[in-house]
């Protein structure tokens, strides 16, 4: 990574910074979640995930899924930048301060930034860049990573009194509705679609 800080002499009380990072973790561990285990078995043909699934001897339905923290064969990589500005100024009515922090994530996923569906060296299937995606397959493992997050705070302080106003922004995420859509299809109950923003498509929510 690399970063710069700007603290001009002509504007007392102001400081700004810009940081770029590219973090790579080779020996990563994580929890894929129950859906991640099932998808790893039936979509990724991963024998290790299949061994964690127990089916009922009576009707063949899934009876039990063991969800364990495990090694991530593709490792982890994330790249983005952080911006911050801060300004403080004394006035006759007290000290005013303004703080603004913004984070932008360009990539979060396996090492080497593989495309979704690409085959990793161990034969498993890559999720690819999951920034801005809320999916039952990846959210248990990686969580939800917003592309943009920003916070702006205006504060006032005088003697023992202080007050502040804070505004936060999170960019929209794409919600994967495939799981409730599949359940609705197999059960014939369309009400399961109400658990998601709609259909089997990936839809933009918020933002």
């Amino acid at each position: 990574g690399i970063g710069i800080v700007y603290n001009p002499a002509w504007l007392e009380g102001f400081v700004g910074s810009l940081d770029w990072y590219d973090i790579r973790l080779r020996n990563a561990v994580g929890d894929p979640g129950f859906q991640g285990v099932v998808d790893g078995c039936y979509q990724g043909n991963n024998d290790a995930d299949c061994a964690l699934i127990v089916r009922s001897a009576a009707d063949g339905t899934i009876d039990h899924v063991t969800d364990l923290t495990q090694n991530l064969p593709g490792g982890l990589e994330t790249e983005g930048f952080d911006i911050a500005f801060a300004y403080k100024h004394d006035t006759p009515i007290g000290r005013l301060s303004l703080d603004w922090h913004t984070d932008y994530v360009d990539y979060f996923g396996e090492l080497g930034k593989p495309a979704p569906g690409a085959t990793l060296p161990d034969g498993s299937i890559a999720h690819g860049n999951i920034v801005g995606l809320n999916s039952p397959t990846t959210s248990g493992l990686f969580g939800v990573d917003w592309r943009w997050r920003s916070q702006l705070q205006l504060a006032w302080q005088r003697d023992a009194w202080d007050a502040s106003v804070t505004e936060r922004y999170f960019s929209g995420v794409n919600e994967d509705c495939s799981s409730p859509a599949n359940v609705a299809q197999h059960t014939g109950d369309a009400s399961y679609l109400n658990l998601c923003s709609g259909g089997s498509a990936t839809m933009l929510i918020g933002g």
Side-chain angles (χ1 to χ4, degrees), residues 12-201:
E12 185 179 355
F14 174 85
V15 61
S17 64
L18 172 65
D19 296 281
W20 168 82
Y21 61 86
D22 186 358
I23 301 172
R24 304 174 186 183
L25 184 61
R26 299 188 182 280
N27 297 314
V29 294
D31 180 359
F34 296 107
Q35 188 62 48
V37 173
V38 173
D39 290 346
C41 174
Y42 296 104
Q43 295 180 10
N45 297 318
N46 188 321
D47 292 337
D49 284 330
C50 292
L52 300 175
I53 301 173
V54 177
R55 287 189 170 274
S56 170
D59 57 11
T61 58
I62 293 178
D63 184 64
H64 180 75
V65 177
T66 302
D67 180 21
L68 300 173
T69 299
Q70 55 187 261
N71 293 324
L72 305 180
L76 286 178
E77 181 175 355
T78 182
E79 180 182 6
F81 60 82
D82 301 323
I83 304 173
F85 295 105
Y87 179 64
K88 296 181 180 179
H89 183 65
D90 290 320
T91 72
I93 63 171
R95 167 168 285 195
L96 298 178
S97 61
L98 182 70
D99 289 281
W100 178 49
H101 297 270
T102 294
D103 305 316
Y104 175 82
V105 182
D106 183 60
Y107 178 85
F108 192 102
E110 292 92 356
L111 277 170
K113 302 180 181 179
T119 303
L120 297 173
D122 73 329
S124 60
I125 304 301
H127 296 294
N129 190 0
I130 56 89
V131 174
L133 175 64
N134 182 17
S135 166
T137 303
T138 61
S139 296
L141 182 59
F142 300 118
V144 177
D145 290 276
W146 285 270
R147 191 168 296 279
W148 286 99
R149 289 187 299 173
S150 187
Q151 177 174 298
L152 179 66
Q153 183 179 72
L154 177 64
W156 165 83
Q157 181 181 12
R158 182 172 183 177
D159 299 328
W161 299 90
D162 63 79
S164 64
V165 177
T166 303
E167 179 71 19
R168 294 183 176 92
Y169 169 77
F170 294 81
S171 60
V173 297
N174 289 318
E175 184 177 13
D176 181 356
C177 300
S178 58
S179 289
N182 289 336
V183 174
Q185 179 180 4
H186 289 300
T187 61
D189 186 351
S191 65
Y192 282 102
L193 294 174
N194 296 328
L195 298 174
C196 198
S197 22
S200 59

